[in-house]
Structures are given as structure tokens and as C-alpha cells.
Amino acid sequence: VRTGNVIAFGVPGGQGEELVVALETRGGDSPRDEISRAVRLRISEQIGLKARDVVVLNPGSLPKTSSGKLQRRKTAELYLAEQLVDSPSRASRLGLVRDVASSQLGYMRSYLADRIGSR
């Protein structure tokens, strides 16, 4: 779990508000369900509450302000709307950048070949 990248909030439930925890993981080898179980256990042991849900996300998935502060209300809204989802992983973002750069390089080569060939 990434330090400083955890949000706890309440949502309407059967007995009033229920606890939901959304967190970002460093993307280690631990499966998400193991992380979720460990967090639920720790919450229960430390504060005696049962979490309704523990949402484990990729780094960069939790909503933040422009200054980098976590947005608890926005996170709760996204969760209730079932729109709290992973942002692409760093590897897939790098892959996307690589693909865009490659296609642009191909376009530039083609353009220059046409321009030089037409002289």
C-alpha cells in the first residue's frame, strides 16, 4: 500500500454508514485480494470496524486536487457511481507513449521522403 494514498469514507448501508477504503498499491507481487484481506484484518484489529469494501487500485488512480491532495468526497461519489477504476499502469502508459512516438516518427519519415523525393 502506498503511504499517503489511502482514502476511507462512509457510504449508506443497511445499518447507517458503512466503511469503504480505497487505496493505491505499489504494484508489487501481492494479488489484490490478498491486499484487500490484509487491510480488512488490520482495520478490524486496530479499530474494531468491519469494512464493507476495500478497493485496491494502481498508482495514480485516486482523485487528487491540482496540488496533490486526495479528494475524499470525489472518491466516494465515484465509488457510489461504480466509476472508481484503475488508471492505466505506468507500463501501459509508457507503452502508449512509445506507440504514439513510433507512429509519429513513421509519419515524419514518410513526409520527409515524399518532400525530398518530389524535388
Side-chain angles (χ1 to χ4, degrees):
V1 175
R2 296 181 68 215
T3 303
N5 288 278
V6 178
I7 298 177
F9 54 92
V11 296
Q15 302 285 331
E17 278 199 330
E18 295 180 324
L19 175 66
V20 174
V21 177
L23 60 92
E24 293 179 356
T25 172
R26 289 193 181 101
D29 295 332
S30 298
R32 289 178 178 214
D33 57 333
E34 284 183 28
I35 294 170
S36 178
R37 277 194 298 276
V39 169
R40 286 174 190 272
L41 180 62
R42 186 74 170 192
I43 290 169
S44 177
E45 289 174 349
Q46 295 295 313
I47 58 176
L49 293 177
K50 181 179 178 187
R52 167 182 167 168
D53 200 2
V54 175
V55 183
V56 180
L57 301 164
N58 288 335
S61 297
L62 290 174
K64 295 181 177 95
T65 66
S66 59
S67 63
K69 293 180 182 176
L70 294 171
Q71 295 184 338
R72 185 183 322 275
R73 183 174 295 142
K74 173 95 176 180
T75 303
E77 290 170 1
L78 290 170
Y79 176 83
L80 289 170
E82 297 181 5
Q83 295 177 345
L84 185 59
V85 296
D86 279 329
S87 69
S89 69
R90 178 172 168 79
S92 63
R93 286 193 309 264
L94 288 174
L96 177 62
V97 168
R98 196 175 309 116
D99 291 346
V100 169
S102 177
S103 70
Q104 290 301 307
L105 184 57
Y107 170 78
M108 290 171 49
R109 284 182 179 143
S110 175
Y111 175 80
L112 290 173
D114 289 346
R115 298 289 280 172
I116 292 171
S118 63
R119 288 187 181 184

